[in-house]
Amino acid sequence: MERKVPTGIYGLDELIGGGFRNNSVNMIFGGTGVGKTTFSMQFINYGLNRGEKGIYISMEMTEEQIIRESKQIGWGEIEKHIEKGRLRIIHTHGEDIVILSRFLQDIEEEIGEEEVRLAIDPLTPIIYNVQQKRHRKTISEFFNGLRRFGTSVVTLEEMEGVEMMPLYLADSVIKLQSLGYGERYDRTLRIVKYRGGKHGEGLYPFSIERGLGIVVDVTEEQINRVTPKMKYREYFEDAKRKIRQVEGELREALLNKIEALETSWTRDESPERVLQMFFRTELGREI
Amino acid sequence: MRTPDEILGELAESEWVEAAILYRLDGEIISLKISREGYSILGVLHWMERQVKHVLRVIEMEGLENVIYTFEKNKVIFYPASKSTVLAVITEVGVHQQLLMMEIIKAIESIRSYMR
Amino acid sequence: MKCQIAFTNKREESKAVEDLITQIENFNVEPHLVMVYCTLKYHGKYQKILDGLHAHFGDVAMIGSTADAFVSPHEIRSDGIAVVVCEDENAKIETLYEKERTAREGAKKLAEKIKCENGVIILHFPPVRVPGKIEAVQVILRGIYYSLRAKMRRERAKEFAHLLAEYLYDVRLFNLPQHILPEFAERFPEIPVAGVNVSHAQIKLDSPNIFCNWKDIGNGISALVIEKEGIEFHYDDIFPDKGNTPEETMERLRSMKGILKEAEAEFVDNVIISIDGREPQEVIKELTGVKKPDEEEFLGKLSSGKFEVQIPYTINFVNKKTGGSFYTGAAPYYPFDLYPIIFDTKNLDNKIFLGYEPFYGRITDFVRCIESLKEPSKFDFILLDVSSILAFGEYAYNYRDFIRDKCKDNYFGIFTAAPCAYLPERFKKRKYIPEIEKNTYFTGGGTNIVIEI
């Protein structure tokens, strides 16, 4: 099973199978004031409190501002993490980052060998600076670099003229929205994309609570929809037994497929029909 | 307090309701429940996917109490449920609208109290 | 009487019963009486539902029927099953039914079985019972046949209309309140009688249905008899008082909003033969703009359950004996020319009044009976006219709050066709206009009853 990195966002991990994928780039995008910075800080802080290391690259706020904001929410321990060297806050300006590969080197120097939680908040000014022509390739290389360092949360502002290309290249995309009607579904979170696994497809209301940060309002029913149904295990075991009788290289490939299907079987119905189809297609017959 | 999924789930149990969808005003679907017998409504759902943002915009701008679209076999009733949400109910043509309205109002009350 | 209400709208009957029982298990009332009301979505499944509930309750007295909607402290619902569990150690409660060949015989036998010295009798019966498809075809054929005969032999039209009426009584298409209530009034002159006219906004074949003692008795008559001191019975309607004479009542009708036209009608039993010398449906077409349906269309609508019977046009009659006035809907109901109605026309004046929207501006009058409540702590059983929902749409939902304010938390009400009543003198608060027989009240809409138990 792939290792997951808990996000620290209350209610979110249950919707994405336990957290972000390890060594992934995760985009949080949305309008101004919607909670992107809180998300990033919460993600980093969760790891810090569990002995992990974190790098916070801020394109807007200074270290002092970040400390003040964190304390405001109720995360006073952040100063201790800085003192002990577990958290490094880098305040820079997007305009100063002309060459992304150089920027990656700078980050690497800060990190060293250890895997970290990394946040870039926001990515928007960097995107402005990247040359249009080689846009996709440059960002793709940048993200690959980030993946080497650990698991990242990268925020992107949703506004006119902002390039949305990073969304296509990220491993997961979470959209935060705030409409301003003063109702429960004003602030919402939607998991737009989550590579390599099932995720909740709903629109989830969230609130920002002092002490906690972002709390996603998820119901049992919504969690149930993305939870693998272990009660159908015997069907998968039976299928695996049948596959083991298959000769040659195909056997392993088929076993892999069934295992993947089993871990992502979130439907509350028997997989019997799908498995029959699987055998018909793969082996030309039902078993 | 009941969630939108539970509220719409109950509404979709009604014999007249083929589907119930709760939209946020920007067109995002908050909850959707299709009754088991409702496969005939796929065409209507497709139409809604294309048109709903426009319909919601008009409801909001004009402050409409409700909007009804009648198709060959189905009817769609849009009913503002709260400040930021609109409930859409797909029914068969010919159902008793006033009686159905009692069920819709009940659902809307629950949605309002949840949204507060 | 203390009551608790379980409600479900689950489509599948087994799940519905399961849901109800789960709720009932948490009740803290001892069941002395169980009332079960279902909307038409459970058509064909009523007995299974009753069996499921019976297994839970055992042989407790039980009454109920199909209904269009219910009102309870928290909501008005128009889709589902409501189970009202009632406890009253001080009351003697009995539920009985009869399924005789004609409504009159059934009512007579039922009245003979009842013993009640002080209390209330609540009857449930369908004033119009649509039979199954084969029987419905037979009714149509008879209707067409007698209509044709009446048309061809104009001088014998009354005779053919009478034969049609007899046939319709025999197949029990009609259970006229006028035939039923007097049987009870005669036997229990001091006991108020409420008649739940079980009928629906949209009718379908083989409906409505009456339930009694855990049986779906279909087209039967049931009685809930509650003997207890201090039961209050409040009947009211949306109309002004009747006049002192039939002529005075006619004058009042003329001054009422919505009366469009006067006409002369010819009728016998419960069948209108002609209006102003023309076929009734022709006149109705002129009034409503809708022509009479052909047989296929008629049966199709009945089969699909989308035959709407509640319409805003009315034919108003005046009773020469009581001075009362009442109406029936004017709509192209039948695919034949003779026009059966829900009243026996004996004692009716031939002058009739065609009208439109008798409810206009009277939304609160539909629950006027509630104004008379005496003790909010008692259980209030409320019978309301479903036309109020049909006429006022979503505004009718306000009844819930109005009733809750007056009745507090201990009440339950059903919406069906306008209820009828027999009122001993002491229960009469004014000179109600729909007096169809002496002290007996029934009309096509606008009546309402609340019983404080």
Coordinates of all heavy atoms in Angstrom, one line a residue, chain B residues 32-83:
Chain B
L32 N -27.4 15.5 -4.9 CA -28.2 15.0 -6.1 C -28.7 13.6 -5.7 O -28.0 12.8 -5.3 CB -27.4 15.0 -7.3 CG -28.0 14.4 -8.6 CD1 -27.3 15.1 -9.8 CD2 -27.9 12.9 -8.7
K33 N -30.0 13.4 -5.9 CA -30.6 12.1 -5.6 C -31.5 11.8 -6.8 O -32.4 12.5 -7.1 CB -31.4 12.1 -4.3 CG -30.6 12.4 -3.1 CD -29.9 11.1 -2.6 CE -28.9 11.5 -1.5 NZ -28.1 10.4 -1.0
I34 N -31.3 10.6 -7.3 CA -32.1 10.1 -8.4 C -32.8 8.9 -7.9 O -32.2 8.0 -7.4 CB -31.3 9.8 -9.7 CG1 -30.5 11.1 -10.1 CG2 -32.1 9.2 -10.8 CD1 -29.6 10.8 -11.3
S35 N -34.1 8.9 -8.1 CA -34.9 7.7 -7.7 C -34.6 6.5 -8.6 O -34.2 6.7 -9.7 CB -36.4 8.0 -7.6 OG -36.8 8.1 -8.9
R36 N -34.7 5.4 -8.1 CA -34.3 4.2 -8.8 C -35.0 4.0 -10.1 O -34.4 3.5 -11.1 CB -34.5 2.9 -8.0 CG -33.3 2.6 -7.1 CD -33.7 1.6 -6.1 NE -34.6 2.3 -5.1 CZ -35.4 1.7 -4.3 NH1 -35.5 0.4 -4.3 NH2 -36.2 2.4 -3.5
E37 N -36.2 4.5 -10.2 CA -37.0 4.3 -11.4 C -36.7 5.4 -12.4 O -37.4 5.5 -13.4 CB -38.4 4.2 -11.1 CG -38.8 3.0 -10.2 CD -39.9 3.3 -9.3 OE1 -40.8 4.0 -9.8 OE2 -39.9 2.9 -8.2
G38 N -35.8 6.3 -12.1 CA -35.7 7.5 -12.9 C -34.8 7.6 -14.1 O -34.3 8.6 -14.5
Y39 N -34.5 6.5 -14.8 CA -33.5 6.5 -15.8 C -34.0 7.3 -17.1 O -33.2 7.8 -17.9 CB -33.2 5.1 -16.3 CG -32.4 4.4 -15.2 CD1 -32.9 3.3 -14.4 CD2 -31.1 4.8 -14.9 CE1 -32.2 2.7 -13.4 CE2 -30.3 4.1 -13.9 CZ -30.9 3.1 -13.2 OH -30.2 2.5 -12.2
S40 N -35.3 7.5 -17.2 CA -35.8 8.2 -18.3 C -35.5 9.7 -18.3 O -35.7 10.4 -19.2 CB -37.4 8.1 -18.4 OG -37.9 8.7 -17.3
I41 N -34.9 10.1 -17.2 CA -34.7 11.6 -17.0 C -33.3 12.0 -17.5 O -32.9 13.1 -17.3 CB -35.0 12.0 -15.6 CG1 -34.0 11.3 -14.7 CG2 -36.4 11.9 -15.2 CD1 -33.9 11.9 -13.3
L42 N -32.6 11.1 -18.0 CA -31.2 11.4 -18.4 C -31.1 12.6 -19.3 O -30.2 13.5 -19.2 CB -30.5 10.2 -19.0 CG -30.1 9.1 -18.0 CD1 -29.5 7.9 -18.6 CD2 -29.1 9.7 -16.9
G43 N -32.0 12.7 -20.3 CA -32.1 13.8 -21.2 C -32.3 15.1 -20.5 O -31.7 16.1 -20.8
V44 N -33.2 15.1 -19.5 CA -33.4 16.3 -18.7 C -32.2 16.7 -17.9 O -31.8 17.9 -17.9 CB -34.6 16.1 -17.8 CG1 -34.9 17.3 -17.0 CG2 -35.9 15.6 -18.5
L45 N -31.5 15.7 -17.3 CA -30.3 16.0 -16.6 C -29.3 16.6 -17.5 O -28.6 17.5 -17.1 CB -29.8 14.7 -15.9 CG -30.6 14.2 -14.7 CD1 -30.1 12.8 -14.3 CD2 -30.5 15.2 -13.5
H46 N -29.2 16.1 -18.7 CA -28.2 16.7 -19.6 C -28.5 18.1 -20.0 O -27.7 19.0 -20.0 CB -28.2 15.8 -20.9 CG -27.2 16.2 -21.9 ND1 -25.9 16.2 -21.6 CD2 -27.3 16.6 -23.2 CE1 -25.2 16.6 -22.7 NE2 -26.1 16.9 -23.6
W47 N -29.8 18.4 -20.1 CA -30.3 19.7 -20.4 C -29.9 20.6 -19.2 O -29.4 21.8 -19.4 CB -31.8 19.8 -20.7 CG -32.3 21.1 -20.7 CD1 -32.4 21.9 -21.8 CD2 -32.9 21.9 -19.7 NE1 -33.0 23.1 -21.5 CE2 -33.3 23.2 -20.2 CE3 -33.1 21.7 -18.3 CZ2 -33.9 24.2 -19.4 CZ3 -33.7 22.7 -17.5 CH2 -34.1 23.9 -18.1
M48 N -30.1 20.1 -18.0 CA -29.9 20.9 -16.8 C -28.4 21.2 -16.7 O -28.0 22.3 -16.3 CB -30.4 20.2 -15.6 CG -31.9 20.2 -15.5 SD -32.5 19.1 -14.2 CE -32.3 20.2 -12.8
E49 N -27.6 20.3 -17.1 CA -26.1 20.5 -16.9 C -25.7 21.7 -17.8 O -24.9 22.5 -17.4 CB -25.4 19.2 -17.4 CG -24.0 19.2 -17.0 CD -23.2 18.0 -17.6 OE1 -23.9 16.9 -17.7 OE2 -22.1 18.1 -17.9
R50 N -26.4 21.8 -19.0 CA -26.0 22.9 -19.9 C -26.6 24.2 -19.5 O -26.1 25.3 -19.7 CB -26.4 22.5 -21.3 CG -25.4 21.5 -22.0 CD -25.9 21.2 -23.3 NE -27.0 20.3 -23.3 CZ -28.1 20.4 -24.0 NH1 -28.2 21.3 -24.9 NH2 -29.1 19.6 -23.9
Q51 N -27.8 24.1 -18.9 CA -28.6 25.4 -18.8 C -28.7 25.9 -17.3 O -29.1 27.0 -17.1 CB -30.1 25.1 -19.3 CG -30.2 24.7 -20.7 CD -29.7 25.8 -21.6 OE1 -29.8 27.0 -21.3 NE2 -29.2 25.4 -22.8
V52 N -28.3 25.1 -16.4 CA -28.6 25.4 -15.0 C -28.0 26.8 -14.5 O -28.7 27.5 -13.8 CB -28.3 24.3 -14.1 CG1 -26.8 24.2 -13.8 CG2 -29.1 24.4 -12.8
K53 N -26.8 27.0 -15.0 CA -26.2 28.3 -14.5 C -27.0 29.5 -15.0 O -27.2 30.4 -14.2 CB -24.8 28.4 -15.0 CG -23.8 27.5 -14.3 CD -22.4 27.8 -14.6 CE -21.5 26.9 -13.7 NZ -20.1 26.9 -14.0
H54 N -27.5 29.4 -16.2 CA -28.3 30.5 -16.7 C -29.6 30.6 -15.9 O -30.0 31.7 -15.5 CB -28.6 30.3 -18.2 CG -29.6 31.2 -18.8 ND1 -29.3 32.6 -18.9 CD2 -30.9 31.1 -19.2 CE1 -30.3 33.2 -19.4 NE2 -31.3 32.3 -19.6
V55 N -30.3 29.5 -15.7 CA -31.5 29.5 -14.9 C -31.3 30.1 -13.5 O -32.1 30.9 -13.1 CB -32.1 28.0 -14.8 CG1 -33.4 28.0 -14.0 CG2 -32.4 27.5 -16.2
L56 N -30.3 29.6 -12.9 CA -30.0 30.1 -11.5 C -29.7 31.6 -11.5 O -30.2 32.3 -10.6 CB -28.8 29.3 -10.9 CG -29.0 27.8 -10.8 CD1 -27.8 27.2 -10.2 CD2 -30.2 27.5 -9.9
R57 N -29.0 32.1 -12.5 CA -28.7 33.5 -12.6 C -30.0 34.3 -12.7 O -30.2 35.3 -12.0 CB -27.8 33.8 -13.8 CG -27.0 35.1 -13.6 CD -25.8 35.2 -14.5 NE -26.0 34.8 -15.9 CZ -25.4 33.8 -16.5 NH1 -24.6 33.1 -15.9 NH2 -25.7 33.5 -17.8
V58 N -30.9 33.8 -13.6 CA -32.2 34.5 -13.8 C -33.0 34.5 -12.5 O -33.6 35.5 -12.1 CB -33.0 33.9 -15.0 CG1 -34.3 34.6 -15.1 CG2 -32.2 34.1 -16.2
I59 N -33.0 33.4 -11.8 CA -33.8 33.3 -10.6 C -33.2 34.3 -9.6 O -34.0 35.0 -8.9 CB -33.7 31.8 -10.0 CG1 -34.5 30.9 -10.8 CG2 -34.2 31.8 -8.5 CD1 -34.4 29.4 -10.4
E60 N -31.9 34.4 -9.5 CA -31.3 35.3 -8.5 C -31.6 36.7 -8.9 O -32.0 37.5 -8.1 CB -29.8 35.0 -8.4 CG -29.2 35.8 -7.2 CD -27.7 35.7 -7.3 OE1 -27.1 35.3 -8.3 OE2 -27.1 36.2 -6.3
M61 N -31.3 37.0 -10.1 CA -31.4 38.4 -10.6 C -32.9 39.0 -10.5 O -33.1 40.1 -10.1 CB -30.9 38.6 -12.0 CG -29.4 38.6 -12.0 SD -28.7 38.4 -13.7 CE -29.4 39.8 -14.5
E62 N -33.8 38.1 -10.9 CA -35.2 38.6 -11.0 C -35.9 38.3 -9.7 O -37.1 38.6 -9.6 CB -35.9 37.9 -12.1 CG -35.2 38.0 -13.5 CD -35.3 39.4 -14.0 OE1 -36.1 40.2 -13.6 OE2 -34.4 39.8 -14.8
G63 N -35.3 37.6 -8.7 CA -36.0 37.2 -7.5 C -37.2 36.4 -7.7 O -38.2 36.6 -7.0
L64 N -37.1 35.4 -8.6 CA -38.3 34.6 -8.9 C -38.6 33.6 -7.8 O -37.7 33.1 -7.1 CB -38.0 33.8 -10.2 CG -37.6 34.6 -11.4 CD1 -37.3 33.7 -12.6 CD2 -38.7 35.6 -11.8
E65 N -39.9 33.4 -7.6 CA -40.4 32.5 -6.6 C -40.2 31.0 -7.0 O -39.9 30.2 -6.2 CB -41.8 32.7 -6.3 CG -42.0 33.8 -5.3 CD -43.5 34.0 -4.9 OE1 -44.3 33.0 -5.1 OE2 -43.8 35.1 -4.4
N66 N -40.4 30.7 -8.2 CA -40.1 29.4 -8.8 C -40.1 29.5 -10.3 O -40.6 30.4 -10.9 CB -41.0 28.3 -8.2 CG -42.4 28.6 -8.5 OD1 -42.8 28.8 -9.7 ND2 -43.3 28.7 -7.5
V67 N -39.5 28.5 -10.9 CA -39.4 28.4 -12.3 C -39.7 27.0 -12.7 O -39.2 26.0 -12.1 CB -38.0 28.8 -12.8 CG1 -37.9 28.6 -14.3 CG2 -37.6 30.2 -12.5
I68 N -40.6 26.8 -13.7 CA -41.0 25.5 -14.1 C -40.7 25.3 -15.6 O -41.1 26.1 -16.4 CB -42.5 25.2 -13.8 CG1 -42.7 25.3 -12.3 CG2 -42.9 23.8 -14.3 CD1 -44.2 25.2 -11.9
Y69 N -40.0 24.2 -15.9 CA -39.8 23.9 -17.3 C -40.5 22.6 -17.6 O -40.4 21.6 -16.8 CB -38.3 23.7 -17.6 CG -37.5 25.0 -17.7 CD1 -37.0 25.5 -16.6 CD2 -37.3 25.6 -18.9 CE1 -36.3 26.7 -16.6 CE2 -36.5 26.8 -19.0 CZ -36.0 27.3 -17.8 OH -35.3 28.5 -17.9
T70 N -41.3 22.6 -18.7 CA -42.0 21.4 -19.0 C -41.5 20.7 -20.3 O -41.4 21.4 -21.3 CB -43.5 21.7 -19.1 OG1 -44.0 22.3 -17.9 CG2 -44.3 20.4 -19.3
F71 N -41.1 19.5 -20.2 CA -40.6 18.7 -21.3 C -41.7 17.8 -21.7 O -42.8 17.8 -21.1 CB -39.3 18.0 -21.0 CG -38.2 18.9 -20.6 CD1 -38.1 19.4 -19.3 CD2 -37.3 19.4 -21.5 CE1 -37.1 20.2 -18.9 CE2 -36.3 20.2 -21.2 CZ -36.2 20.7 -19.9
E72 N -41.4 16.9 -22.7 CA -42.5 16.0 -23.2 C -43.0 15.1 -22.1 O -44.2 14.9 -21.9 CB -41.9 15.2 -24.4 CG -43.0 14.4 -25.1 CD -42.4 13.5 -26.1 OE1 -41.2 13.6 -26.4 OE2 -43.2 12.6 -26.6
K73 N -42.0 14.5 -21.3 CA -42.5 13.6 -20.3 C -42.2 14.1 -18.9 O -42.7 13.6 -17.9 CB -41.7 12.3 -20.5 CG -42.2 11.5 -21.7 CD -41.5 10.1 -21.7 CE -42.0 9.3 -22.9 NZ -41.1 8.3 -23.3
N74 N -41.3 15.1 -18.8 CA -40.9 15.5 -17.4 C -41.1 17.0 -17.2 O -41.2 17.8 -18.2 CB -39.4 15.2 -17.2 CG -39.2 13.7 -17.2 OD1 -38.7 13.1 -18.1 ND2 -39.5 13.1 -16.0
K75 N -41.1 17.3 -16.0 CA -41.2 18.7 -15.6 C -40.1 19.0 -14.6 O -39.8 18.1 -13.8 CB -42.5 18.8 -14.8 CG -43.2 20.2 -15.0 CD -44.5 20.1 -14.2 CE -45.7 20.4 -15.0 NZ -46.9 20.7 -14.2
V76 N -39.5 20.2 -14.7 CA -38.4 20.5 -13.7 C -38.9 21.8 -13.0 O -39.2 22.8 -13.6 CB -37.1 20.8 -14.4 CG1 -36.0 21.0 -13.3 CG2 -36.7 19.7 -15.4
I77 N -39.0 21.7 -11.7 CA -39.4 22.8 -10.9 C -38.1 23.3 -10.1 O -37.5 22.6 -9.3 CB -40.4 22.4 -9.8 CG1 -41.6 21.7 -10.5 CG2 -40.9 23.6 -9.0 CD1 -42.6 21.1 -9.6
F78 N -37.8 24.6 -10.4 CA -36.7 25.2 -9.6 C -37.3 26.0 -8.5 O -38.2 26.8 -8.8 CB -35.8 26.1 -10.5 CG -35.0 25.3 -11.5 CD1 -35.5 25.1 -12.8 CD2 -33.7 24.9 -11.2 CE1 -34.8 24.4 -13.7 CE2 -33.0 24.2 -12.2 CZ -33.5 24.0 -13.4
Y79 N -36.8 25.9 -7.3 CA -37.4 26.6 -6.2 C -36.3 27.1 -5.3 O -35.5 26.3 -4.8 CB -38.3 25.6 -5.4 CG -39.4 26.3 -4.7 CD1 -40.7 26.1 -5.1 CD2 -39.1 27.0 -3.6 CE1 -41.7 26.7 -4.3 CE2 -40.2 27.6 -2.9 CZ -41.5 27.4 -3.2 OH -42.5 28.0 -2.5
P80 N -36.1 28.4 -5.2 CA -35.1 28.9 -4.3 C -35.2 28.3 -2.9 O -36.3 28.4 -2.3 CB -35.3 30.4 -4.3 CG -36.0 30.7 -5.5 CD -36.9 29.5 -5.8
A81 N -34.2 27.7 -2.4 CA -34.3 27.0 -1.1 C -33.7 27.9 0.0 O -34.2 27.8 1.2 CB -33.6 25.7 -1.1
S82 N -32.7 28.7 -0.2 CA -32.1 29.5 0.8 C -31.5 30.7 0.0 O -31.6 30.8 -1.2 CB -31.1 28.8 1.6 OG -30.0 28.5 0.9
K83 N -30.7 31.5 0.8 CA -30.1 32.7 0.1 C -29.1 32.2 -1.0 O -29.0 32.9 -2.0 CB -29.3 33.5 1.1 CG -30.2 34.4 1.9 CD -29.4 35.4 2.7 CE -28.9 34.7 4.0 NZ -28.1 35.6 4.9

